[in-house]
Amino acid sequence: MNGRFKSAGGAVGGGLLVAGTTSDAGKSVVTAGICRWLVRQGIRVAPFKAQNMSLNSFVTREGAEIGRAQAMQAAAARVEPTALMNPVLLKPGSDRSSQVVLLGKPVGELSARGYFGGSGGSSPGKTQYAGHREQLLGTVTDCLAELRRTHDAVICEGAGSPAEINLRRTDIVNMGIARAARIPVVVVGDIDRGGVFASFFGTTALLSREDQALVAGYLVNKFRGDVTLLEPGLEMLRGLTGRPTLGVLPFAHGLGIDEEDGLRVSLRGAVRESVVAPPHGADVLRVAVCAVPLMSNFTDVDALAAEPGVVVRFVDRAEELADADLVVLPGTRGTVRALAWLRERGLADAIARRAAEGRPVLGICGGFQMLGERIEDEVESKAGTVEGLGLLPVRVRFAVEKTLARPVGTALGEPVEGYEIHHGVAEVTGGDEAFISDGQGHSLDGCRAGSVWGTHWHGSLESDGFRRAFLRRVAADAGRAFVPAPDTSFGTLREEQLDRLGDLIEEHADTDALLRLIEKGVPEGLPFVPPGAP
């Protein structure tokens, strides 16, 4: 442990909140980068996000559901992810409602108005949690306090912008948690979008005097070009706000891993840009992922894109399936809605034709459920009984209790690990083989019928041996002379990406200033920038 930090004996460790001028400014990757940089200095660090809205989630070893970005940040910090790191997770089910996951367990389905203090909601969780900002703030501050007690430093990630003045009263993730825990705030701005000086100034000037007192500086993200041309503007910004810019991070391809919901920032793109090895065999393998509504955990296909010679793309038209060697139906927070979407767009018929021709199809979680014969849903969509695509001998019934697990098994003779996040309970009535077994012939999950495969397990393709075996089967069914590379390690590639994030912070941020903020807290005498909050 670095001697400058003390957390033993009940003392509180240091903290920092990484806020952003907008969503997708780079908060998640900057937080991960700071975590990786700190742990390389021998500092025990943990990530934290009080409230996350995302359809990309993960299951901890104790069976708690948290945002996948926080699991990625925990990997950057080289610690096991826990529910403490993301106490409130909101999983959108429509434009106006979300499932509320509290300390890793679902507690209700609420409208935005209901969650932020008005009326609205359709479950027992409504009366207990709707509008109870103080209760939620107490929960998240307790979680943060526990992490600070057991770690030398906790790097917190904000959400959206701290200057969302319509939500400040109920905020528990930006200035609300910073105020409650008295931790300094660094604001990240995406200069690639343009207007970064106005964004920094406007964000600060829309905060109250008390909130501004915690904003200690800025980080410019995604800069292209000669940084000396930017420096005069940074000095003028300091003159206007009294706050320094603590780093200018260059634009770098492929750094956005396991973020919240942006397709373009998954490791899929990162690996495709960074891996230069040619296909190991004579052919490439083309994978088409149906971009269904409320798509969740699309990071499942990142491991496919990590393979040299595998080309992954997201599609929403039937004709885009024509040249695909493998079609993937990913997870979704709205299985019945996604099934109707497939039919409306002609994708359902195209997938059925593929199956009849013996061409490979893979369904994961909600995608697996859609491939079955029928779905009985009185929980998620409340649509009752709905006919599935009929490509797998599976009947699905939605249960009130959500399955959250971290199972292990065997598939195609290789060890497999995964995680389960679903309300649907599958009854498999036939098929050629189980997707995953216990290694002794007993089915654990999913099934195969011809060239159609389905499983509830997210993350199974990250198991290198199984992924290679599966791709060999796909290539054989597709008639492609594709051979998976024998040495691709998805875990190693992910570690390399996390190290690149740490390198960015170490090489382009004022690390001495960041350490002072984490260790000593908010500097005294930060000036007020008018007009302040309305």
Side-chain angles (χ1 to χ4, degrees), residues 264-334:
R264 67 182 180 85
V265 295
S266 72
L267 186 56
R268 168 187 60 85
V271 173
R272 192 175 345 165
E273 290 164 355
S274 60
V275 171
V276 295
H280 197 70
D283 281 347
V284 299
L285 209 61
R286 295 173 176 83
V287 179
V289 184
C290 295
V292 298
L294 298 173
M295 181 166 48
S296 61
N297 287 70
F298 55 77
T299 48
D300 283 330
V301 299
D302 287 350
L304 294 178
E307 289 284 349
V310 176
V311 179
V312 178
R313 66 182 188 271
F314 289 83
V315 304
D316 59 6
R317 296 183 296 176
E319 56 267 31
E320 294 178 291
L321 304 187
D323 66 343
D325 301 305
L326 171 66
V327 170
V328 177
L329 290 180
T332 172
R333 182 68 172 96

Side-chain angles (χ1 to χ4, degrees), residues 229-471:
L229 299 177
L230 190 66
E231 288 171 351
L234 301 179
E235 283 303 311
M236 286 185 274
L237 179 68
R238 182 166 190 162
L240 289 166
T241 66
R243 290 158 174 85
T245 296
L246 303 177
V248 178
L249 309 183
F251 190 101
H253 291 285
L255 291 181
I257 54 179
D258 291 8
E259 288 197 277
E260 293 175 358
D261 286 315
L263 283 178
R264 67 182 180 85
V265 295
S266 72
L267 186 56
R268 168 187 60 85
V271 173
R272 192 175 345 165
E273 290 164 355
S274 60
V275 171
V276 295
H280 197 70
D283 281 347
V284 299
L285 209 61
R286 295 173 176 83
V287 179
V289 184
C290 295
V292 298
L294 298 173
M295 181 166 48
S296 61
N297 287 70
F298 55 77
T299 48
D300 283 330
V301 299
D302 287 350
L304 294 178
E307 289 284 349
V310 176
V311 179
V312 178
R313 66 182 188 271
F314 289 83
V315 304
D316 59 6
R317 296 183 296 176
E319 56 267 31
E320 294 178 291
L321 304 187
D323 66 343
D325 301 305
L326 171 66
V327 170
V328 177
L329 290 180
T332 172
R333 182 68 172 96
T335 303
V336 170
R337 175 178 168 183
L339 188 55
W341 180 87
L342 290 175
R343 288 179 167 132
E344 290 166 1
R345 302 186 73 86
L347 286 159
D349 289 340
I351 292 168
R353 287 194 298 270
R354 289 182 60 88
E357 295 166 359
R359 302 171 68 193
V361 178
L362 169 64
I364 302 174
C365 199
F368 169 42
Q369 297 166 6
M370 287 186 275
L371 291 171
E373 296 168 352
R374 72 166 186 252
I375 298 169
E376 297 177 21
D377 181 12
E378 298 292 348
V379 176
E380 190 176 77
S381 68
K382 299 181 173 56
T385 300
V386 177
E387 293 300 312
L389 297 179
L391 302 181
L392 288 176
V394 175
R395 297 169 184 172
V396 176
R397 176 184 55 82
F398 273 65
V400 174
E401 293 296 318
K402 181 186 283 191
T403 297
L404 296 170
R406 286 276 295 273
V408 295
T410 299
L412 299 179
E414 298 286 347
V416 179
E417 296 183 14
Y419 56 100
E420 295 183 75
I421 307 170
H422 55 92
H423 284 280
V425 178
E427 177 191 1
V428 179
T429 60
D432 300 319
E433 62 179 304
F435 191 100
I436 301 171
S437 70
D438 63 359
Q440 300 177 357
H442 302 110
S443 174
L444 292 179
D445 180 77
C447 68
R448 177 183 68 85
S451 61
V452 181
W453 306 70
T455 176
H456 270 130
W457 289 21
H458 296 289
S460 62
L461 293 167
E462 296 179 18
S463 299
D464 296 327
F466 165 66
R467 182 180 65 254
R468 287 191 279 269
F470 177 68
L471 289 175

